[in-house]
Amino acid sequence: MHFSLLLILFASPTYAWLPLEDWGSGNVTGSVGESGQCICHVFLPDTTFPADRVESVQISSNKLTVDVELHISKLISFKAQLVVLLEELSNLTLRLEVVESGPDKYVKLEFELLRIELREFEAMVTELKTSLNSSSPAFDSLYNEIRNMSMIVDQLESYDQSNLEVIRIEFAKLQKKLEKCRDEQDDFSNVQIGSCKHGGILRVGKPVVSQLNANLNTGYTYGGWGKDTNPLPGSENMYWYSASTDTVVRYISVYTDYYRLIMRQAKKTYDLYDPKKDWRGTGNNYIIRNNTLYYQFANPFSMAKYNMTSQTAEYRVVPKASNRFSYQYSANQNLDFAADETGLWVTYATEESKGKLVLGKIDEAAFALSEVWETSIFKQSVTNTFMICGVLYATRSVDIHTEEIFYTYDTHTRQESYVSIPFEKFLDFYVNLDYNPTDQKLYMYNKGYYVSYHVKFKSA
């Protein structure tokens, strides 16, 4: 008997064939047709391939590609605009710098045109930021620069011819003051540098206040500044500075010249603290000589020197020196170092002298005292001391504005005398005062300020 098999499939228009074993018995039914043929009815499950969704994804992908290409074109366009903007902004900056360089050019500037250009720049930056839908330091920097320029334009516009005339008058006054200061300085320079052919100090000039210390903090009350008293070749213009909020001596900074000192651009800062050896000191009366810092060592109580060339240190105990007697203005000023045309010195007090000031000459090669002189003044009544040509000068406070050199001791003749050489001390007290034989100036550290004085000597 011959049979023909007819399969009738009931399913969606699009479908995928399933393996025969996945066709459950419930999905297949059979019957016999009118001609005796066998008819099987197969019902496939609706797990067909989503061709319609694939087509939709392809359409979306094409659309996104077009959008990305459009945004890339915009970015290229904005990049070109940004380059133009930065170039124009740079040109405007140069224009403003030219204007600022000469007061007479203020009145010639078209201020309104500048404002229009600045507003255009700001609009372009805003457009860029909005179009890119992002923020970055570059945009913020542009905004800040534009605002700063707008403020400069406002300030410049405030200058008119009358203001310029006032400025010229003030410049003329300043020039006269500078000339007077120069003449005064020339008047004080009456003895050749390094010479001791004079009769000692005649008077001290007005305080010259350089500026606040390099830390820009009046809290750095303790410290000192000045020049090397016997500089190494090539270091003649070097300045130094050291300060702290207490009497601890740790950091010492050196500057190649006065300009670097004022600009706070240290060539190098030395740290006296080392984990292997603590070389920190105490007090304020330290100096630099031959690129070596001479200062009061903390433990044990002794004099110390730190060679900044080799960055090595050593100390020596000063025989009989006491740490109980300090100067009037500050504690821990037990050893006071000084240098003059004749060498290196240290002042202190002893228990045997009952607190009276003792002066010692230091043999620099041996780093030991070579000779000692005892004075008659009580150290705690003294505010500071310094040496000039082998003569000790001691100061004391007169009032809140006035200091006085009141005592001298000549180591050559062993003669002492009481004098009265008043000078202005800028602020009410100071912690460091030393003479420098390389320029014949007194250097004072006064409540965080750099102060100096010219010295005029008596004729020999």
Side-chain angles (χ1 to χ4, degrees):
M1 182 177 180
H2 176 73
F3 291 95
S4 62
L5 180 63
L6 175 64
L7 295 178
I8 301 175
L9 305 178
F10 300 90
S12 301
T14 56
Y15 53 82
W17 293 102
L18 294 177
L20 184 61
E21 58 271 19
D22 290 341
W23 295 4
S25 58
N27 295 331
V28 181
T29 59
S31 62
V32 179
E34 295 178 352
S35 303
Q37 72 270 28
C38 180
I39 300 173
C40 295
H41 304 274
V42 180
F43 296 89
L44 295 178
D46 190 16
T47 55
T48 56
F49 183 77
D52 55 340
R53 281 177 282 174
V54 170
E55 184 178 2
S56 176
V57 169
Q58 289 176 340
I59 294 172
S60 298
S61 177
N62 291 335
K63 186 177 182 302
L64 287 174
T65 301
V66 174
D67 290 342
V68 169
E69 291 177 352
L70 180 61
H71 280 292
I72 290 175
S73 299
K74 286 184 178 181
L75 282 175
I76 294 174
S77 174
F78 282 130
K79 181 180 179 182
Q81 293 182 44
L82 186 59
V83 171
V84 174
L85 170 64
L86 292 174
E87 184 177 354
E88 292 182 357
L89 198 58
S90 177
N91 291 336
L92 182 58
T93 302
L94 293 175
R95 287 170 57 191
L96 284 175
E97 288 177 353
V98 171
V99 171
E100 288 182 293
S101 65
D104 292 333
K105 299 177 183 178
Y106 289 151
V107 293
K108 301 176 183 178
L109 186 62
E110 299 176 6
F111 295 103
E112 191 56 37
L113 178 59
L114 281 173
R115 288 195 180 89
I116 292 173
E117 291 181 2
L118 287 171
R119 285 197 291 268
E120 289 177 353
F121 293 149
E122 187 172 0
M124 290 183 69
V125 174
T126 302
E127 182 182 358
L128 282 171
K129 186 175 180 181
T130 303
S131 301
L132 298 177
N133 193 25
S134 65
S135 180
S136 69
F139 287 132
D140 296 337
S141 177
L142 284 173
Y143 271 124
N144 290 333
E145 189 168 352
I146 290 171
R147 291 193 196 98
N148 290 338
M149 286 189 175
S150 297
M151 293 175 62
I152 292 174
V153 170
D154 292 338
Q155 291 172 359
L156 292 179
E157 192 177 25
S158 66
Y159 289 97
D160 54 21
Q161 284 297 88
S162 61
N163 288 331
L164 290 177
E165 188 60 31
V166 171
I167 292 174
R168 293 190 187 97
I169 294 173
E170 292 301 321
F171 275 135
K173 290 181 180 178
L174 178 60
Q175 185 176 5
K176 290 181 179 179
K177 289 181 180 179
L178 291 175
E179 291 175 353
K180 181 180 179 181
C181 182
R182 183 187 60 190
D183 294 340
E184 181 179 331
Q185 180 176 349
D186 292 339
D187 180 54
F188 273 89
S189 303
N190 62 329
V191 175
Q192 184 179 359
I193 298 295
S195 172
C196 289
K197 294 180 179 180
H198 56 76
I201 295 178
L202 175 63
R203 59 190 175 93
V204 177
K206 292 286 186 180
V208 179
V209 183
S210 296
Q211 69 167 37
L212 186 62
N213 58 54
N215 296 96
L216 296 179
N217 191 330
T218 54
Y220 283 75
T221 305
Y222 307 94
W225 79 293
K227 298 182 70 175
D228 193 316
T229 59
N230 189 30
L232 300 178
S235 300
E236 291 82 2
N237 295 323
M238 186 194 82
Y239 282 80
W240 61 269
Y241 158 70
S242 178
S244 176
T245 56
D246 52 30
T247 57
V248 174
V249 181
R250 176 172 178 176
Y251 299 104
I252 177 75
S253 297
V254 295
Y255 306 81
T256 54
D257 51 37
Y258 184 75
Y259 174 79
R260 298 297 191 285
L261 172 76
I262 297 303
M263 297 303 293
R264 304 186 300 279
Q265 297 173 352
K267 177 182 179 182
K268 186 176 180 62
T269 297
Y270 299 89
D271 188 351
L272 298 180
Y273 177 77
D274 187 304
K276 297 180 181 179
K277 178 62 179 178
D278 186 355
W279 284 109
R280 286 178 295 183
T282 184
N284 308 283
N285 292 102
Y286 34 76
I287 62 168
I288 289 182
R289 184 173 178 82
N290 293 316
N291 207 41
T292 299
L293 173 70
Y294 289 88
Y295 65 105
Q296 178 179 305
F297 194 42
N299 187 23
F301 170 65
S302 54
M303 63 179 183
K305 65 176 182 177
Y306 178 82
N307 188 311
M308 294 186 293
T309 303
S310 62
Q311 298 186 39
T312 57
E314 59 180 304
Y315 67 88
R316 294 284 189 278
V317 173
V318 179
K320 299 182 180 181
S322 172
N323 60 1
R324 289 202 312 116
F325 305 98
S326 182
Y327 287 143
Q328 180 181 342
Y329 283 145
S330 176
N332 296 328
Q333 292 180 302
N334 309 114
L335 300 179
D336 180 8
F337 295 89
D340 65 359
E341 292 81 357
T342 65
L344 183 64
W345 307 82
V346 62
T347 56
Y348 55 97
T350 66
E351 298 294 335
E352 287 82 354
S353 70
K354 295 181 173 56
K356 291 180 180 178
L357 199 64
V358 176
L359 173 62
K361 181 70 179 293
I362 299 177
D363 182 331
E364 296 180 58
F367 192 38
L369 298 187
S370 59
E371 195 171 358
V372 173
W373 297 263
E374 184 176 319
T375 72
S376 63
I377 56 171
F378 189 57
K379 184 178 179 182
Q380 289 180 320
S381 67
V382 175
T383 54
N384 226 291
T385 63
F386 57 89
M387 298 291 299
I388 298 180
C389 292
V391 177
L392 172 73
Y393 292 84
T395 61
R396 66 183 176 187
S397 176
V398 176
D399 55 44
I400 193 171
H401 301 297
T402 309
E403 195 79 357
E404 180 188 48
I405 299 173
F406 76 100
Y407 175 86
T408 67
Y409 184 93
D410 191 331
T411 59
H412 305 291
T413 62
R414 295 184 179 270
Q415 296 294 314
E416 59 182 0
S417 61
Y418 287 87
V419 297
S420 178
I421 306 174
F423 62 96
E424 185 181 338
K425 58 184 170 185
F426 177 57
L427 295 175
D428 55 350
F429 76 91
Y430 58 91
V431 295
N432 188 302
L433 180 67
D434 270 304
Y435 170 78
N436 193 304
T438 66
D439 56 12
Q440 296 177 333
K441 289 183 182 179
L442 291 174
Y443 287 87
M444 173 189 288
Y445 188 75
N446 192 332
K447 281 193 171 181
Y449 286 88
Y450 302 148
V451 186
S452 61
Y453 299 84
H454 291 284
V455 177
K456 185 175 179 62
F457 296 102
K458 301 174 184 176
S459 298

